[in-house]
Amino acid sequence: MANKKFSTNNLHLDRSAKPEHGAIHKPIHTSVAFGYEDARDLAAVFQGTKKGYAYSRQLNPTVTALQNKITEMEEGIATLAFSTGMAAIAATMLSLLRTGDHLIASSFLFANTRSFLSTLKGLGISVTLVDPTKSQNVESAITSHTVMIFVETIANPATQIADLSGIGVLCQKHNILYCVDNTLTTPYLFLPKTVKASLVINSLTKSIGGHGNALGGTITDTGLYDWRLFKNINKTDQNLDTSQWGITQIRKKGLRDMGASLSAESAHHLSIGSETLSLRLERACSNAMSFALFCNDHPSITKTFYPGLEDHPQHIRAAELFNSFGTLVSINLDNKVDCFEVLNNMTTIIASTNLGDNRTLGIPVAHTIFYELGSKQRKAMGIEQSMLRFAIGIENEKVLLDDLSQALAKAGDNNHD
Ligand SMILES: *Cc1c(COP(=O)(O)O)cnc(C)c1O
């Protein structure tokens, strides 16, 4: 559950670091390099014996300020920011996994994460996909080579909810890194640390940034994992405090060497966006609940996917773990209405990908994000041809319901002509 100081801490964090002139925002530092009066200080920064900035690919003051905000929100110990959520995921896995390692991941992953896992397979890392709604499925996939389990909180688009607590217990028992992608819930709705996650991914592009105007992603170390038990830590980093081993390896390999750094301008946009996360989510989650209830009762809609509905298979789990049920609502349409026509009839809701934007967006899932997977795999993931996914925004609730209602009516009418 989000703590009482969630918004307040975020709003005052920049100021507490005392920026120049009494600024209440961290300035946008566009400098790529940082100069030193004494070259010995520059050497000390390189050698890690002194804190400071050298080159913005690795560390930039504006990006650091954002990283600190995410660490605070996730109640973790350290965060690294990347140019996108995918960059954060790819850099984390490529930095920590080696040929011969085994990774277990959810079979309902975000499509690009799933596609990235096939890149790992090409590097000799074996991957098993399991239905994570039951921790027994995860448990039976564990081998002596399993080093990481990767799951999301609410799956996209069919909103399955992993047995987050059960998997946490398994990871602890077997000393496996537990990586949770918190993008769909954000630290305002859920703290993966409370289910023993070791690492937390957030795509800042989505709800944390919230305005659809900047890409970014982070990895946060919750401080719960004992990195001395992880066999892939470079010897050269083992002189540091053990809590720093994982994040240091990701920083050096995943950020410094692979280079998908976040720009200072984007960090600023995302940081400003994050100030209103709690307000925006409260509105968007409440809109999503009304939207789902409306869909659930509509004769042209055969199925509504939303964890807030009482007949959702993991409704009770969601209610126990999350502050609210999120902003994603998916529907299957009756075969008499065409999904493209419904979207084309919308006047407020935009036919667009992305989620966590202030605006409500709708997308025909099988024809776009999950097109590449093919019909057999889509079926296994519970994705029908007629499925529409809505990422609910902060517009007026009645405007959204009216828009959906008239779009469905018009699409139905056309069919009877
Ligand atoms: C969007 C998304 C990502 C990737 O984030 P980008 O910033 O678009 O690269 C990863 N995981 C989930 C669950 C997402 O929704």
Side-chain angles (χ1 to χ4, degrees):
M1 292 289 137
N3 75 49
K4 268 195 298 203
K5 293 192 179 144
F6 188 90
S7 309
T8 313
N9 287 355
N10 181 287
L11 288 168
H12 292 276
L13 202 63
D14 281 353
R15 196 168 60 90
S16 69
K18 303 205 182 317
E20 61 202 31
H21 314 302
I24 51 180
H25 289 298
K26 184 72 180 174
I28 305 175
H29 290 280
T30 56
S31 194
V32 169
F34 298 83
Y36 286 83
E37 281 175 19
D38 183 346
R40 286 186 197 87
D41 288 337
L42 178 61
V45 167
F46 263 80
Q47 291 168 18
T49 52
K50 200 176 162 111
K51 280 200 164 181
Y53 298 93
Y55 192 68
S56 283
R57 177 164 15 86
Q58 280 148 268
L59 212 56
N60 168 284
T62 315
V63 176
T64 303
L66 174 65
Q67 290 175 167
N68 292 343
K69 287 185 179 180
I70 305 295
T71 300
E72 176 86 13
M73 287 191 226
E74 288 288 358
E75 299 183 14
I77 59 166
T79 296
L80 290 173
F82 293 83
S83 56
T84 65
M86 281 318 302
I89 292 170
T92 299
M93 293 189 179
L94 290 171
S95 306
L96 296 177
L97 304 177
R98 301 263 191 282
T99 302
D101 286 345
H102 177 234
L103 166 78
I104 300 171
S106 161
S107 52
F108 312 124
L109 286 182
F110 176 66
N112 301 151
T113 307
R114 185 178 171 124
S115 170
F116 175 70
L117 297 184
S118 63
T119 304
L120 291 183
K121 284 190 199 168
L123 300 173
I125 294 156
S126 60
V127 177
T128 308
L129 299 181
V130 299
D131 172 350
T133 58
K134 295 192 173 58
S135 63
Q136 302 91 288
N137 297 338
V138 176
E139 186 161 31
S140 42
I142 294 174
T143 74
S144 58
H145 298 287
T146 309
V147 293
M148 184 190 278
I149 296 178
F150 186 96
V151 296
E152 293 169 0
T153 51
I154 302 177
N156 162 14
T159 72
Q160 300 93 336
I161 291 157
D163 181 359
L164 293 157
S165 312
I167 299 170
V169 171
L170 285 177
C171 287
Q172 189 178 48
K173 181 171 148 202
H174 296 275
N175 296 322
I176 295 169
L177 267 182
Y178 185 20
C179 191
V180 176
D181 183 336
N182 200 24
T183 302
L184 270 286
T185 26
T186 83
Y188 185 64
L189 298 190
F190 176 57
L191 286 180
K193 188 179 178 177
T194 59
V195 295
K196 308 182 197 302
S198 333
L199 297 172
V200 183
I201 295 281
N202 279 291
S203 166
L204 309 182
T205 316
K206 312 291 172 54
S207 300
I208 292 181
H211 297 68
N213 61 350
L215 293 153
T218 48
I219 176 87
T220 300
D221 186 333
T222 60
L224 295 183
Y225 186 75
D226 182 354
W227 289 99
R228 286 173 302 182
L229 304 172
F230 196 70
K231 64 184 181 57
N232 296 343
I233 296 293
N234 287 352
K235 285 269 178 306
T236 47
D237 292 329
Q238 295 189 2
N239 57 342
L240 298 168
D241 182 274
T242 55
S243 68
Q244 299 301 309
W245 288 9
I247 207 83
T248 303
Q249 184 153 319
I250 303 169
R251 179 157 48 77
K252 288 188 178 175
K253 288 177 171 291
L255 191 60
R256 185 192 66 187
D257 300 354
M258 296 177 200
S261 316
L262 183 66
S263 74
E265 283 95 343
S266 289
H268 175 73
H269 278 306
L270 296 165
S271 190
I272 299 298
S274 77
E275 292 185 353
T276 50
L277 177 64
S278 60
L279 292 172
R280 290 183 285 103
L281 272 184
E282 277 173 21
R283 173 71 163 260
C285 290
S286 153
N287 278 350
M289 189 72 221
S290 308
F291 197 88
L293 288 169
F294 177 87
C295 292
N296 208 29
D297 284 340
H298 199 285
S300 302
I301 296 171
T302 57
K303 190 168 166 66
T304 303
F305 302 83
Y306 187 64
L309 297 176
E310 277 173 21
D311 62 352
H312 184 286
Q314 294 93 34
H315 170 69
I316 292 170
R317 179 179 292 163
E320 278 170 5
L321 291 173
F322 308 150
N323 212 354
S324 182
F325 299 102
T327 59
L328 205 77
V329 181
S330 297
I331 57 172
N332 287 339
L333 290 167
D334 184 287
N335 58 17
K336 290 196 285 297
V337 278
D338 178 72
C339 64
F340 290 99
E341 217 174 298
V342 173
L343 281 179
N344 292 348
N345 292 340
M346 301 275 188
T347 57
T348 300
I349 298 172
I350 310 166
S352 173
T353 188
N354 197 15
L355 49 96
D357 194 295
N358 282 334
R359 298 150 197 82
T360 300
L361 313 175
I363 188 160
V365 183
H367 310 269
T368 56
I369 344 176
F370 289 96
Y371 181 71
E372 235 178 67
L373 268 188
S375 61
K376 223 172 111 186
Q377 299 246 40
R378 281 199 296 272
K379 206 163 187 161
M381 292 177 83
I383 300 167
E384 289 195 11
Q385 283 301 101
S386 73
M387 184 188 256
L388 286 177
R389 181 194 83 188
F390 294 98
I392 305 296
I394 61 170
E395 297 96 336
N396 176 276
E397 176 189 305
K398 188 165 183 312
V399 169
L400 292 179
L401 299 187
D402 288 350
D403 198 24
L404 176 63
S405 176
Q406 64 78 25
L408 287 166
K410 216 165 145 191
D413 285 349
N414 281 356
N415 195 270
H416 299 300
D417 287 345

